[in-house]
Amino acid sequence: MKRSNPGIITRCVGKHGPTRRIIIEPPTRSTAEENLRAIVSHDADGAIIVDNSGVVRFLNSAAERLLDRHGAELHGQVFGFPLVVGERAEVEVLRPNGEFAVAEMRVVSIVWEGQDALLITLRDVTFERQAETALREAEEFSITILNSLTNEIVVLDEQGKIVAVNEAWLRFGRENGITDLAAISVGADYFAACAVDKTLTGGIDVLQGLRDVLAGNKEEFSCEYELPTSAGTRWFALRAVPLRGKRRGIVISHTDITEQRRAAQLAAEAEMLREQVRQMERELTNVDALSRPEDTARSRLSSLRQRLPEVFEYALHRYGSLLDEALQSRIHRTQLPPRALRELGEFLGSGWATPRDLIDIHLQAIRQRSAQSPPKKLQAYVEEGRLLLLELMGHLASFYRSLAIGELASRPPEQ
C-alpha cells in the first residue's frame, strides 16, 4: 500500500529481541526549494515572495532594509503594487519616516512550499536616480544660465561638434534667415562651417585660432569680424576659451559690437567736423578783422548778444531756420529764396551788428545742431552754413554800403 506520508524506519534492540519501529516525520523540503530559500535570504537585493493572492509569505533582510520595516509587520499583508510576470518596472516606496525610495522591481513565477507563488526582486536604485536627477537639474541649470546671457554662446567638443547652444544663438540664426536651425544646433560641425563660410571674414584664421585653443596652444582666441545681414553689415567680437572640466572642448561667445563700432566711427567723424568748425571760426575771425574799420564808432560797440539779447535770440532762431531750409534745398536740389537772407541781413544791420556777431550767431546755430545730428548731417550743416554765412555777410555789407551812400547823399556839397 502506498503511504501518503513517507517516514524513516529505524531498528531498535529491546528486551525481547530486535523490534521494528516506524517513525513518521514531516516531509523534508526539496533541495531546489532549500537552495532558493538560501539564495533569497542572502541576496543583496530585496526579495519578497507572495502567493497568488498577493499576500506576503516571505521577505529577506534586504527587503526589510529597503522598506525600512520589520518582516513581521509585512508578513500576511497584501503587496500593494500591480504584479506582471516577466516585466521590469520602477516603483516608489514610501517609508515610515515619510521618505521615498526608488526600486527596480522584477516578478517571476516560482513554487514556494509546494504552492505556486511569485518572487518579487527589488533592487534599490534610489541613489542612482538621485544622481541622475541632480545631473539633469545641473544640466538644466547650466542651460538656464546660457539662455540668460545676451551673447550668442556655442559649446564645442574636441571634434568641433556643437554640444550646447543658448537661445540667443538660435534667435540670431532665425533673425538672419537661417531656416534650418539644425545646421547651427547641437550635433552640427562648427569647424566645417567655418571652413566653408564665405561671409565670415578670415574664416580660415578663425578656424586655426579655435583649433589652437582646443589643442592647448593658446589660453584664448579673440577676433572681430563683420557679417552681412538683411539689416546691413554688423560687427561681432568672437572669443573662445577652453571648456573647464573632464570633457575637452571650447566655449565660444559672439558679441554684437555693431553699435560700439558705429559709435567709434561717429566719434572720429565728429571730432574731424569739430576741427573744421574751429578752422572755419579762425578763418571768419580773420575776415572780421580785415573788414572792420578800426576808426568807426560801431567797432567799439559791445557784442550784439550783450547789447540786444532779444535781437540776438531772434536772429539766431531765424538763422537756424534758414540753415535747416538750406539743408532741405540741398537734398531736394532747390534754391533757397534770397529775400529771406537779405531781410535777416538788414535786420541785423539795423541793430549795428558786426561780422563778429554773425560769426557768433552762425557758430551757436551749428553747435545746437551738432548735439542731435549724426556726423554726415553735421558735415552738411557745416558746408551749407559756410555758404550761408558768407552770403549773409554780403547782405550786411550791402546794407551798410547803402546806408553810407544815403548818408553821403544827404550831406550838402562842400563849398
Side-chain angles (χ1 to χ4, degrees):
M1 184 176 77
K2 184 177 180 181
R3 290 181 293 183
S4 59
N5 293 320
I8 298 177
I9 302 177
T10 62
R11 291 175 61 87
C12 180
V13 178
K15 180 177 179 180
H16 303 288
T19 60
R20 296 181 63 190
R21 179 185 300 174
I22 299 176
I23 302 174
I24 306 299
E25 293 184 349
T28 60
R29 296 184 179 91
S30 67
T31 303
E33 186 173 322
E34 289 293 343
N35 290 339
L36 176 61
R37 181 181 291 272
I39 292 173
V40 168
S41 298
H42 297 88
D43 194 356
D45 291 337
I48 302 175
I49 297 176
V50 300
D51 59 21
N52 286 335
S53 301
V55 176
V56 175
R57 297 304 180 190
F58 175 83
L59 70 163
N60 65 358
S61 57
E64 292 178 341
R65 290 192 299 271
L66 175 63
L67 302 176
D68 195 22
R69 298 178 68 179
H70 194 273
E73 300 179 44
L74 300 174
H75 197 277
Q77 301 295 320
V78 176
F79 188 75
F81 294 100
L83 302 175
V84 179
V85 176
E87 291 191 4
R88 294 177 183 268
E90 282 195 2
V91 294
E92 285 189 341
V93 179
L94 179 61
R95 290 169 169 167
N97 60 4
E99 295 180 353
F100 280 93
V102 182
E104 185 180 79
M105 182 177 71
R106 186 180 181 185
V107 182
V108 296
S109 297
I110 63 170
V111 175
W112 183 259
E113 295 180 346
Q115 296 181 355
D116 292 336
L118 298 175
L119 171 62
I120 304 167
T121 57
L122 298 171
R123 188 169 68 87
D124 191 348
V125 294
T126 304
F127 293 116
E128 295 176 17
R129 297 301 175 262
Q130 288 175 346
E132 292 174 359
T133 300
L135 178 61
R136 183 170 59 254
E137 290 177 351
E139 291 177 347
E140 291 175 355
F141 184 63
S142 299
I143 293 298
T144 300
I145 293 175
L146 289 179
N147 289 336
S148 300
L149 299 175
T150 57
N151 294 352
E152 293 84 16
I153 304 295
V154 186
V155 183
L156 310 183
D157 64 11
E158 56 185 341
Q159 305 299 326
K161 299 288 184 66
I162 298 176
V163 294
V165 298
N166 68 344
E167 181 57 34
W169 171 258
L170 298 177
R171 183 170 59 252
F172 174 78
R174 289 191 295 266
E175 291 174 351
N176 289 276
I178 298 179
T179 56
D180 183 15
L181 292 181
I184 61 171
S185 299
V186 175
D189 193 330
Y190 190 92
F191 284 175
C194 287
V196 301
D197 192 352
K198 303 301 183 182
T199 63
L200 179 61
T201 305
I204 299 300
D205 295 335
V206 171
L207 179 58
Q208 185 58 49
L210 298 180
R211 291 188 183 280
D212 287 341
V213 174
L214 186 59
N217 299 328
K218 290 183 177 180
E219 286 295 323
E220 69 173 66
F221 170 75
S222 60
C223 68
E224 294 183 359
Y225 64 93
E226 58 179 317
L227 184 67
T229 68
S230 56
T233 300
R234 303 193 67 83
W235 284 87
F236 291 86
L238 179 149
R239 182 171 181 264
V241 296
L243 180 64
R244 308 298 180 186
K246 295 182 180 179
R247 297 176 62 181
R248 290 187 58 198
I250 51 178
V251 180
I252 305 172
S253 67
H254 297 256
T255 306
D256 191 336
I257 58 170
T258 305
E259 295 304 321
Q260 293 90 320
R261 276 271 184 161
R262 289 176 179 172
Q265 293 174 351
L266 292 178
E269 292 182 14
E271 180 58 31
M272 181 184 66
L273 293 175
R274 291 189 192 98
E275 180 57 34
Q276 291 181 1
V277 170
R278 289 191 288 267
Q279 179 63 27
M280 184 183 65
E281 183 176 8
R282 289 190 291 268
E283 293 176 0
L284 294 178
T285 301
N286 293 333
V287 171
D288 175 40
L290 293 174
S291 64
R292 178 167 50 87
E294 297 294 339
D295 57 347
T296 63
R298 288 192 299 273
S299 65
R300 293 188 292 272
L301 296 174
S302 59
S303 68
L304 184 65
R305 186 198 293 263
Q306 295 174 342
R307 292 185 292 109
L308 301 170
E310 296 84 359
V311 173
F312 180 86
E313 288 298 327
Y314 173 80
L316 175 61
H317 173 73
R318 185 66 182 132
Y319 182 80
S321 299
L322 291 173
L323 191 58
D324 293 333
E325 292 178 20
L327 194 62
Q328 292 299 316
S329 298
R330 175 176 177 171
I331 296 173
H332 300 292
R333 300 181 183 277
T334 58
Q335 293 294 326
L336 184 68
R339 179 178 176 180
L341 200 59
R342 185 177 66 250
E343 290 177 350
L344 179 58
E346 293 174 354
F347 173 78
L348 288 168
S350 65
W352 299 109
T354 66
R356 181 172 297 175
D357 293 324
L358 269 61
I359 293 173
D360 192 9
I361 291 172
H362 169 78
L363 292 177
Q364 182 67 17
I366 292 293
R367 290 190 185 100
Q368 288 177 349
R369 283 150 182 79
S370 65
Q372 300 177 349
S373 301
K376 290 185 178 179
K377 188 175 182 180
L378 179 57
Q379 184 175 0
Y381 272 127
V382 171
E383 294 171 355
E384 291 298 318
R386 183 190 293 268
L387 299 176
L388 203 66
L389 178 59
L390 293 176
E391 188 176 351
L392 182 59
M393 281 188 174
H395 288 301
L396 182 63
S398 296
F399 175 80
Y400 287 143
R401 189 179 302 111
S402 300
L403 186 61
I405 293 175
E407 289 179 354
L408 292 175
S410 63
R411 291 179 183 176
E414 296 182 357
Q415 300 295 327

